[in-house]
Amino acid sequence: MNEDLQKRIQAALANPQNMGELADADAIGTVGNSDCGEMLRMWVKFKQQDGKRVIDRATFQSFGCETAIAVASLATELIRGKTAEEALALKPEELAGELGPLPPMKIHCSQLVEGALRSALSPQAETCAKPTESTKSAVTSTAPTLLDSFSKPKEGGVKIQFLD
Ligand code: FES
């Protein structure tokens, strides 16, 4: 990786935007890369603006490399104010924004972000019920953190234990 790109990634990581889960998200997307073992989850909240349903806020959590985190940070800012269709039309290199072109070995990092976005915004995406006082714990259980996904299996589910 060239030095300029490394500097831009470090600058994005020094002040990452939109990290963490979004408790009142309208949609969630999760994606993993079996080759490198990275995972990324994205939460998206919409709002009405000028008669259109646009992205109000997007956040992410990642068990990912620095490049994936930097791209997710930039991408969650970039898609703000866009409709789901406009956000889905963005290519991985556009999501990487000011990082500029990524070397071939890092292109899949931006594709991880694109995949999480696609997963969240596709018609089959996990959607979240609006929380009420009585359903808050139920909503939380449908939108666990990435760590929860690994350590707390759903009721009746199977807990996966990784072998050494
Ligand atoms: Fe696999 Fe970056 S090295 S997501």
Side-chain angles (χ1 to χ4, degrees):
M1 199 179 325
N2 72 46
E3 209 170 296
D4 273 357
L5 176 59
Q6 192 60 46
K7 277 186 190 156
R8 289 194 294 272
I9 289 172
Q10 290 307 322
L13 291 175
N15 185 25
Q17 304 296 304
N18 307 310
M19 275 180 76
E21 61 185 297
L22 190 56
D24 58 347
D26 296 312
I28 305 170
T30 307
V31 74
N33 182 311
S34 58
D35 288 338
C36 65
E38 317 286 12
M39 282 190 74
L40 198 131
R41 176 166 292 166
M42 197 172 277
W43 287 261
V44 179
K45 176 92 186 142
F46 291 96
K47 69 177 178 183
Q48 286 295 327
Q49 184 178 292
D50 302 326
K52 291 192 293 189
R53 186 174 186 248
V54 300
I55 295 167
D56 182 28
R57 179 138 196 251
T59 67
F60 72 98
Q61 280 188 332
S62 175
F63 289 142
C65 69
E66 292 183 341
T67 306
I69 293 170
V71 173
S73 171
L74 295 166
T76 49
E77 283 294 297
L78 183 70
I79 63 175
R80 208 181 272 231
K82 295 193 184 314
T83 64
E85 294 74 23
E86 289 166 344
L88 286 170
L90 294 168
K91 296 183 175 70
E93 57 269 26
E94 293 171 309
L95 291 172
E98 62 205 47
L99 290 183
L102 298 174
M105 63 186 279
K106 287 291 176 184
I107 287 174
H108 79 276
C109 309
S110 59
Q111 289 170 336
L112 193 75
V113 176
E114 183 200 26
L117 189 60
R118 216 162 269 294
S119 170
L121 300 181
S122 71
Q124 304 82 19
E126 301 170 51
T127 50
C128 309
K130 291 279 170 238
T132 63
E133 280 311 309
S134 63
T135 62
K136 268 189 180 159
S137 62
V139 170
T140 303
S141 71
T142 62
T145 64
L146 270 183
L147 189 58
D148 285 342
S149 300
F150 285 118
S151 57
K152 294 181 200 159
K154 285 182 184 164
E155 202 170 303
V158 177
K159 182 171 181 177
I160 297 171
Q161 297 251 313
F162 295 101
L163 302 174
D164 293 334

